[in-house]
mmCIF file of all heavy atoms in Angstrom:
data_model
loop_
_atom_site.group_PDB
_atom_site.id
_atom_site.type_symbol
_atom_site.label_atom_id
_atom_site.label_comp_id
_atom_site.label_asym_id
_atom_site.label_seq_id
_atom_site.Cartn_x
_atom_site.Cartn_y
_atom_site.Cartn_z
ATOM 1 N N GLU T 1 2.536 78.474 -19.593
ATOM 2 C CA GLU T 1 2.759 78.438 -18.149
ATOM 3 C C GLU T 1 4.106 77.807 -17.805
ATOM 4 O O GLU T 1 4.792 78.259 -16.883
ATOM 5 C CB GLU T 1 1.624 77.665 -17.464
ATOM 6 C CG GLU T 1 0.328 78.424 -17.399
ATOM 7 C CD GLU T 1 0.454 79.686 -16.560
ATOM 8 O OE1 GLU T 1 0.823 79.582 -15.371
ATOM 9 O OE2 GLU T 1 0.210 80.777 -17.104
ATOM 10 N N MET T 2 4.479 76.769 -18.521
ATOM 11 C CA MET T 2 5.768 76.136 -18.262
ATOM 12 C C MET T 2 6.923 77.049 -18.657
ATOM 13 O O MET T 2 7.967 77.062 -18.005
ATOM 14 C CB MET T 2 5.863 74.810 -19.022
ATOM 15 C CG MET T 2 4.908 73.729 -18.525
ATOM 16 S SD MET T 2 5.108 73.322 -16.774
ATOM 17 C CE MET T 2 6.759 72.634 -16.777
ATOM 18 N N ALA T 3 6.717 77.836 -19.716
ATOM 19 C CA ALA T 3 7.753 78.776 -20.137
ATOM 20 C C ALA T 3 7.971 79.861 -19.087
ATOM 21 O O ALA T 3 9.086 80.361 -18.913
ATOM 22 C CB ALA T 3 7.382 79.407 -21.478
ATOM 23 N N ARG T 4 6.897 80.223 -18.371
ATOM 24 C CA ARG T 4 7.034 81.229 -17.307
ATOM 25 C C ARG T 4 7.966 80.739 -16.209
ATOM 26 O O ARG T 4 8.682 81.529 -15.598
ATOM 27 C CB ARG T 4 5.646 81.555 -16.733
ATOM 28 C CG ARG T 4 5.658 82.628 -15.672
ATOM 29 C CD ARG T 4 4.271 83.223 -15.478
ATOM 30 N NE ARG T 4 3.295 82.199 -15.139
ATOM 31 C CZ ARG T 4 3.117 81.728 -13.905
ATOM 32 N NH1 ARG T 4 3.862 82.189 -12.910
ATOM 33 N NH2 ARG T 4 2.192 80.819 -13.650
ATOM 34 N N THR T 5 7.983 79.430 -15.968
ATOM 35 C CA THR T 5 8.903 78.869 -14.985
ATOM 36 C C THR T 5 10.343 79.079 -15.415
ATOM 37 O O THR T 5 11.213 79.395 -14.598
ATOM 38 C CB THR T 5 8.627 77.363 -14.799
ATOM 39 O OG1 THR T 5 7.285 77.181 -14.363
ATOM 40 C CG2 THR T 5 9.575 76.750 -13.782
ATOM 41 N N GLY T 6 10.594 78.910 -16.714
ATOM 42 C CA GLY T 6 11.943 79.125 -17.220
ATOM 43 C C GLY T 6 12.393 80.565 -17.075
ATOM 44 O O GLY T 6 13.578 80.840 -16.849
ATOM 45 N N ARG T 7 11.434 81.506 -17.167
ATOM 46 C CA ARG T 7 11.780 82.924 -17.037
ATOM 47 C C ARG T 7 11.967 83.335 -15.580
ATOM 48 O O ARG T 7 12.586 84.354 -15.297
ATOM 49 C CB ARG T 7 10.692 83.793 -17.684
ATOM 50 C CG ARG T 7 10.540 83.592 -19.181
ATOM 51 C CD ARG T 7 9.683 84.683 -19.787
ATOM 52 N NE ARG T 7 8.323 84.665 -19.255
ATOM 53 C CZ ARG T 7 7.314 83.971 -19.782
ATOM 54 N NH1 ARG T 7 7.533 83.225 -20.859
ATOM 55 N NH2 ARG T 7 6.113 84.006 -19.254
ATOM 56 N N THR T 8 11.407 82.546 -14.678
ATOM 57 C CA THR T 8 11.515 82.867 -13.236
ATOM 58 C C THR T 8 12.153 81.684 -12.507
ATOM 59 O O THR T 8 11.664 81.253 -11.472
ATOM 60 C CB THR T 8 10.129 83.178 -12.643
ATOM 61 O OG1 THR T 8 9.258 82.034 -12.835
ATOM 62 C CG2 THR T 8 9.518 84.391 -13.303
ATOM 63 N N LEU T 9 13.217 81.175 -13.069
ATOM 64 C CA LEU T 9 13.842 79.957 -12.548
ATOM 65 C C LEU T 9 14.305 80.127 -11.101
ATOM 66 O O LEU T 9 14.161 79.222 -10.279
ATOM 67 C CB LEU T 9 15.019 79.566 -13.439
ATOM 68 C CG LEU T 9 15.549 78.129 -13.282
ATOM 69 C CD1 LEU T 9 14.467 77.126 -13.627
ATOM 70 C CD2 LEU T 9 16.773 77.932 -14.154
ATOM 71 N N MET T 10 14.854 81.286 -10.783
ATOM 72 C CA MET T 10 15.345 81.526 -9.425
ATOM 73 C C MET T 10 14.211 81.447 -8.408
ATOM 74 O O MET T 10 14.348 80.819 -7.346
ATOM 75 C CB MET T 10 16.014 82.899 -9.350
ATOM 76 C CG MET T 10 16.655 83.212 -8.003
ATOM 77 S SD MET T 10 18.054 82.142 -7.606
ATOM 78 C CE MET T 10 19.232 82.687 -8.843
ATOM 79 N N GLN T 11 13.092 82.053 -8.724
ATOM 80 C CA GLN T 11 11.960 82.070 -7.804
ATOM 81 C C GLN T 11 11.218 80.739 -7.785
ATOM 82 O O GLN T 11 10.768 80.280 -6.727
ATOM 83 C CB GLN T 11 10.994 83.186 -8.204
ATOM 84 C CG GLN T 11 9.736 83.250 -7.363
ATOM 85 C CD GLN T 11 8.776 84.321 -7.866
ATOM 86 O OE1 GLN T 11 9.100 85.110 -8.746
ATOM 87 N NE2 GLN T 11 7.570 84.338 -7.308
ATOM 88 N N SER T 12 11.085 80.099 -8.958
ATOM 89 C CA SER T 12 10.262 78.898 -9.072
ATOM 90 C C SER T 12 10.957 77.635 -8.591
ATOM 91 O O SER T 12 10.315 76.752 -8.021
ATOM 92 C CB SER T 12 9.819 78.706 -10.532
ATOM 93 O OG SER T 12 9.103 79.826 -10.998
ATOM 94 N N ILE T 13 12.244 77.514 -8.833
ATOM 95 C CA ILE T 13 12.961 76.273 -8.526
ATOM 96 C C ILE T 13 14.069 76.476 -7.504
ATOM 97 O O ILE T 13 14.113 75.798 -6.470
ATOM 98 C CB ILE T 13 13.554 75.658 -9.815
ATOM 99 C CG1 ILE T 13 12.447 75.365 -10.834
ATOM 100 C CG2 ILE T 13 14.328 74.392 -9.483
ATOM 101 C CD1 ILE T 13 11.455 74.309 -10.400
ATOM 102 N N VAL T 14 14.965 77.408 -7.787
ATOM 103 C CA VAL T 14 16.168 77.551 -6.963
ATOM 104 C C VAL T 14 15.836 77.943 -5.531
ATOM 105 O O VAL T 14 16.333 77.349 -4.571
ATOM 106 C CB VAL T 14 17.137 78.578 -7.589
ATOM 107 C CG1 VAL T 14 18.359 78.766 -6.694
ATOM 108 C CG2 VAL T 14 17.562 78.125 -8.982
ATOM 109 N N SER T 15 14.961 78.944 -5.371
ATOM 110 C CA SER T 15 14.628 79.423 -4.026
ATOM 111 C C SER T 15 13.999 78.340 -3.145
ATOM 112 O O SER T 15 14.430 78.145 -1.995
ATOM 113 C CB SER T 15 13.704 80.642 -4.120
ATOM 114 O OG SER T 15 13.345 81.111 -2.847
ATOM 115 N N PRO T 16 12.978 77.585 -3.631
ATOM 116 C CA PRO T 16 12.426 76.517 -2.787
ATOM 117 C C PRO T 16 13.439 75.424 -2.444
ATOM 118 O O PRO T 16 13.421 74.895 -1.322
ATOM 119 C CB PRO T 16 11.277 75.956 -3.638
ATOM 120 C CG PRO T 16 10.907 77.051 -4.569
ATOM 121 C CD PRO T 16 12.190 77.763 -4.857
ATOM 122 N N VAL T 17 14.318 75.104 -3.381
ATOM 123 C CA VAL T 17 15.320 74.072 -3.113
ATOM 124 C C VAL T 17 16.305 74.537 -2.044
ATOM 125 O O VAL T 17 16.664 73.784 -1.125
ATOM 126 C CB VAL T 17 16.075 73.698 -4.409
ATOM 127 C CG1 VAL T 17 17.275 72.802 -4.101
ATOM 128 C CG2 VAL T 17 15.134 72.991 -5.373
ATOM 129 N N ILE T 18 16.730 75.801 -2.126
ATOM 130 C CA ILE T 18 17.649 76.343 -1.120
ATOM 131 C C ILE T 18 16.973 76.375 0.250
ATOM 132 O O ILE T 18 17.579 76.004 1.271
ATOM 133 C CB ILE T 18 18.125 77.752 -1.525
ATOM 134 C CG1 ILE T 18 19.032 77.667 -2.765
ATOM 135 C CG2 ILE T 18 18.876 78.417 -0.373
ATOM 136 C CD1 ILE T 18 19.479 79.013 -3.287
ATOM 137 N N SER T 19 15.705 76.813 0.287
ATOM 138 C CA SER T 19 14.983 76.877 1.557
ATOM 139 C C SER T 19 14.867 75.488 2.188
ATOM 140 O O SER T 19 15.082 75.320 3.396
ATOM 141 C CB SER T 19 13.582 77.468 1.339
ATOM 142 O OG SER T 19 13.659 78.781 0.843
ATOM 143 N N THR T 20 14.531 74.489 1.376
ATOM 144 C CA THR T 20 14.400 73.130 1.898
ATOM 145 C C THR T 20 15.752 72.583 2.338
ATOM 146 O O THR T 20 15.838 71.865 3.346
ATOM 147 C CB THR T 20 13.783 72.211 0.835
ATOM 148 O OG1 THR T 20 12.566 72.785 0.363
ATOM 149 C CG2 THR T 20 13.486 70.837 1.408
ATOM 150 N N SER T 21 16.803 72.933 1.614
ATOM 151 C CA SER T 21 18.145 72.490 1.997
ATOM 152 C C SER T 21 18.528 73.048 3.367
ATOM 153 O O SER T 21 19.183 72.367 4.167
ATOM 154 C CB SER T 21 19.170 72.931 0.947
ATOM 155 O OG SER T 21 18.896 72.343 -0.313
ATOM 156 N N LEU T 22 18.097 74.284 3.644
ATOM 157 C CA LEU T 22 18.368 74.868 4.955
ATOM 158 C C LEU T 22 17.655 74.093 6.057
ATOM 159 O O LEU T 22 18.189 73.920 7.164
ATOM 160 C CB LEU T 22 17.943 76.334 4.972
ATOM 161 C CG LEU T 22 18.793 77.285 4.125
ATOM 162 C CD1 LEU T 22 18.199 78.692 4.140
ATOM 163 C CD2 LEU T 22 20.232 77.321 4.629
ATOM 164 N N TYR T 23 16.445 73.610 5.759
ATOM 165 C CA TYR T 23 15.732 72.767 6.729
ATOM 166 C C TYR T 23 16.527 71.503 7.017
ATOM 167 O O TYR T 23 16.637 71.057 8.173
ATOM 168 C CB TYR T 23 14.350 72.384 6.201
ATOM 169 C CG TYR T 23 13.302 73.448 6.364
ATOM 170 C CD1 TYR T 23 12.675 74.000 5.253
ATOM 171 C CD2 TYR T 23 12.895 73.889 7.620
ATOM 172 C CE1 TYR T 23 11.689 74.971 5.380
ATOM 173 C CE2 TYR T 23 11.910 74.855 7.760
ATOM 174 C CZ TYR T 23 11.311 75.393 6.642
ATOM 175 O OH TYR T 23 10.345 76.351 6.780
ATOM 176 N N PHE T 24 17.082 70.899 5.964
ATOM 177 C CA PHE T 24 17.876 69.683 6.153
ATOM 178 C C PHE T 24 19.102 69.974 7.020
ATOM 179 O O PHE T 24 19.467 69.187 7.898
ATOM 180 C CB PHE T 24 18.334 69.128 4.804
ATOM 181 C CG PHE T 24 17.266 68.435 4.032
ATOM 182 C CD1 PHE T 24 16.948 68.830 2.740
ATOM 183 C CD2 PHE T 24 16.557 67.379 4.582
ATOM 184 C CE1 PHE T 24 15.956 68.194 2.018
ATOM 185 C CE2 PHE T 24 15.564 66.740 3.868
ATOM 186 C CZ PHE T 24 15.266 67.146 2.584
ATOM 187 N N ILE T 25 19.738 71.117 6.769
ATOM 188 C CA ILE T 25 20.946 71.453 7.519
ATOM 189 C C ILE T 25 20.622 71.701 8.988
ATOM 190 O O ILE T 25 21.282 71.189 9.891
ATOM 191 C CB ILE T 25 21.635 72.688 6.893
ATOM 192 C CG1 ILE T 25 22.156 72.350 5.483
ATOM 193 C CG2 ILE T 25 22.777 73.169 7.784
ATOM 194 C CD1 ILE T 25 22.663 73.544 4.716
ATOM 195 N N VAL T 26 19.560 72.499 9.221
ATOM 196 C CA VAL T 26 19.221 72.879 10.591
ATOM 197 C C VAL T 26 18.617 71.714 11.359
ATOM 198 O O VAL T 26 19.078 71.341 12.442
ATOM 199 C CB VAL T 26 18.262 74.085 10.604
ATOM 200 C CG1 VAL T 26 17.790 74.372 12.033
ATOM 201 C CG2 VAL T 26 18.938 75.304 10.005
ATOM 202 N N PHE T 27 17.558 71.104 10.780
ATOM 203 C CA PHE T 27 16.856 70.040 11.493
ATOM 204 C C PHE T 27 17.570 68.698 11.361
ATOM 205 O O PHE T 27 17.648 67.941 12.334
ATOM 206 C CB PHE T 27 15.421 69.910 10.978
ATOM 207 C CG PHE T 27 14.535 71.041 11.408
ATOM 208 C CD1 PHE T 27 14.353 72.145 10.587
ATOM 209 C CD2 PHE T 27 13.875 71.010 12.620
ATOM 210 C CE1 PHE T 27 13.531 73.196 10.974
ATOM 211 C CE2 PHE T 27 13.052 72.052 13.025
ATOM 212 C CZ PHE T 27 12.889 73.147 12.202
ATOM 213 N N GLY T 28 18.041 68.406 10.146
ATOM 214 C CA GLY T 28 18.641 67.096 9.923
ATOM 215 C C GLY T 28 20.019 66.946 10.534
ATOM 216 O O GLY T 28 20.327 65.930 11.156
ATOM 217 N N ALA T 29 20.847 67.972 10.373
ATOM 218 C CA ALA T 29 22.224 67.869 10.859
ATOM 219 C C ALA T 29 22.373 68.408 12.272
ATOM 220 O O ALA T 29 22.794 67.697 13.186
ATOM 221 C CB ALA T 29 23.159 68.623 9.905
ATOM 222 N N ALA T 30 22.019 69.669 12.473
ATOM 223 C CA ALA T 30 22.237 70.302 13.773
ATOM 224 C C ALA T 30 21.363 69.692 14.860
ATOM 225 O O ALA T 30 21.860 69.239 15.901
ATOM 226 C CB ALA T 30 21.977 71.804 13.659
ATOM 227 N N ILE T 31 20.048 69.656 14.637
ATOM 228 C CA ILE T 31 19.131 69.130 15.650
ATOM 229 C C ILE T 31 19.060 67.610 15.577
ATOM 230 O O ILE T 31 18.998 66.928 16.603
ATOM 231 C CB ILE T 31 17.729 69.748 15.475
ATOM 232 C CG1 ILE T 31 17.815 71.270 15.653
ATOM 233 C CG2 ILE T 31 16.741 69.148 16.461
ATOM 234 C CD1 ILE T 31 16.500 71.981 15.451
ATOM 235 N N GLY T 32 19.071 67.067 14.373
ATOM 236 C CA GLY T 32 18.931 65.621 14.206
ATOM 237 C C GLY T 32 20.032 64.825 14.878
ATOM 238 O O GLY T 32 19.813 63.683 15.319
ATOM 239 N N SER T 33 21.227 65.411 14.974
ATOM 240 C CA SER T 33 22.326 64.695 15.612
ATOM 241 C C SER T 33 22.095 64.511 17.109
ATOM 242 O O SER T 33 22.722 63.660 17.740
ATOM 243 C CB SER T 33 23.634 65.464 15.388
ATOM 244 O OG SER T 33 23.553 66.765 15.955
ATOM 245 N N ARG T 34 21.178 65.281 17.695
ATOM 246 C CA ARG T 34 20.887 65.199 19.126
ATOM 247 C C ARG T 34 19.607 64.420 19.410
ATOM 248 O O ARG T 34 19.207 64.276 20.557
ATOM 249 C CB ARG T 34 20.763 66.606 19.717
ATOM 250 C CG ARG T 34 22.022 67.431 19.562
ATOM 251 C CD ARG T 34 21.772 68.887 19.888
ATOM 252 N NE ARG T 34 23.005 69.648 19.694
ATOM 253 C CZ ARG T 34 23.736 70.148 20.691
ATOM 254 N NH1 ARG T 34 23.361 69.941 21.946
ATOM 255 N NH2 ARG T 34 24.830 70.830 20.451
ATOM 256 N N ILE T 35 18.927 63.978 18.353
ATOM 257 C CA ILE T 35 17.663 63.264 18.503
ATOM 258 C C ILE T 35 17.871 61.803 18.136
ATOM 259 O O ILE T 35 18.469 61.502 17.089
ATOM 260 C CB ILE T 35 16.567 63.883 17.611
ATOM 261 C CG1 ILE T 35 16.314 65.337 18.022
ATOM 262 C CG2 ILE T 35 15.275 63.083 17.684
ATOM 263 C CD1 ILE T 35 15.291 66.044 17.150
ATOM 264 N N PRO T 36 17.419 60.881 18.952
ATOM 265 C CA PRO T 36 17.559 59.457 18.614
ATOM 266 C C PRO T 36 16.748 59.103 17.374
ATOM 267 O O PRO T 36 15.895 59.869 16.923
ATOM 268 C CB PRO T 36 17.017 58.749 19.864
ATOM 269 C CG PRO T 36 16.116 59.750 20.522
ATOM 270 C CD PRO T 36 16.731 61.095 20.240
ATOM 271 N N GLN T 37 17.007 57.933 16.863
ATOM 272 C CA GLN T 37 16.307 57.494 15.661
ATOM 273 C C GLN T 37 14.798 57.400 15.910
ATOM 274 O O GLN T 37 14.350 57.123 17.017
ATOM 275 C CB GLN T 37 16.834 56.137 15.212
ATOM 276 C CG GLN T 37 18.256 56.157 14.701
ATOM 277 C CD GLN T 37 18.678 54.811 14.167
ATOM 278 O OE1 GLN T 37 18.073 53.787 14.465
ATOM 279 N NE2 GLN T 37 19.725 54.786 13.356
ATOM 280 N N SER T 38 14.055 57.635 14.849
ATOM 281 C CA SER T 38 12.595 57.513 14.921
ATOM 282 C C SER T 38 12.180 56.278 14.141
ATOM 283 O O SER T 38 12.391 56.203 12.929
ATOM 284 C CB SER T 38 11.928 58.772 14.332
ATOM 285 O OG SER T 38 10.520 58.657 14.356
ATOM 286 N N HIS T 39 11.633 55.272 14.845
ATOM 287 C CA HIS T 39 11.216 54.020 14.220
ATOM 288 C C HIS T 39 12.378 53.350 13.489
ATOM 289 O O HIS T 39 12.197 52.750 12.423
ATOM 290 C CB HIS T 39 10.064 54.254 13.257
ATOM 291 C CG HIS T 39 8.837 54.826 13.910
ATOM 292 N ND1 HIS T 39 7.956 54.073 14.639
ATOM 293 C CD2 HIS T 39 8.351 56.105 13.938
ATOM 294 C CE1 HIS T 39 6.975 54.834 15.088
ATOM 295 N NE2 HIS T 39 7.193 56.076 14.697
ATOM 296 N N GLY T 40 13.574 53.496 14.034
ATOM 297 C CA GLY T 40 14.733 52.868 13.432
ATOM 298 C C GLY T 40 15.320 53.621 12.253
ATOM 299 O O GLY T 40 16.212 53.111 11.572
ATOM 300 N N ILE T 41 14.846 54.836 12.018
ATOM 301 C CA ILE T 41 15.317 55.653 10.898
ATOM 302 C C ILE T 41 15.962 56.907 11.463
ATOM 303 O O ILE T 41 15.462 57.497 12.429
ATOM 304 C CB ILE T 41 14.151 56.043 9.967
ATOM 305 C CG1 ILE T 41 13.454 54.787 9.458
ATOM 306 C CG2 ILE T 41 14.628 56.885 8.799
ATOM 307 C CD1 ILE T 41 12.147 55.064 8.763
ATOM 308 N N SER T 42 17.077 57.328 10.882
ATOM 309 C CA SER T 42 17.724 58.550 11.345
ATOM 310 C C SER T 42 16.762 59.723 11.200
ATOM 311 O O SER T 42 15.944 59.764 10.268
ATOM 312 C CB SER T 42 19.001 58.814 10.546
ATOM 313 O OG SER T 42 18.693 59.157 9.207
#
């Protein structure tokens, strides 16, 4: 099962990381810059 991850590295690892990075860019940078801190945390 672990070897199957190596054969599908783009789908198993790269794609989820890119998708999550887009969330950080959109929500964290674009929208987050307009939202005040939450509980003292950016």
Side-chain angles (χ1 to χ4, degrees):
E1 286 297 302
M2 293 302 295
R4 183 161 57 82
T5 301
R7 296 193 297 270
T8 59
L9 196 61
M10 184 66 68
Q11 177 184 352
S12 302
I13 301 295
V14 178
S15 179
V17 170
I18 292 176
S19 298
T20 307
S21 298
L22 290 175
Y23 280 118
F24 284 124
I25 294 172
V26 174
F27 288 94
I31 299 178
S33 60
R34 300 168 181 252
I35 298 177
Q37 292 185 341
S38 178
H39 300 282
I41 303 169
S42 69

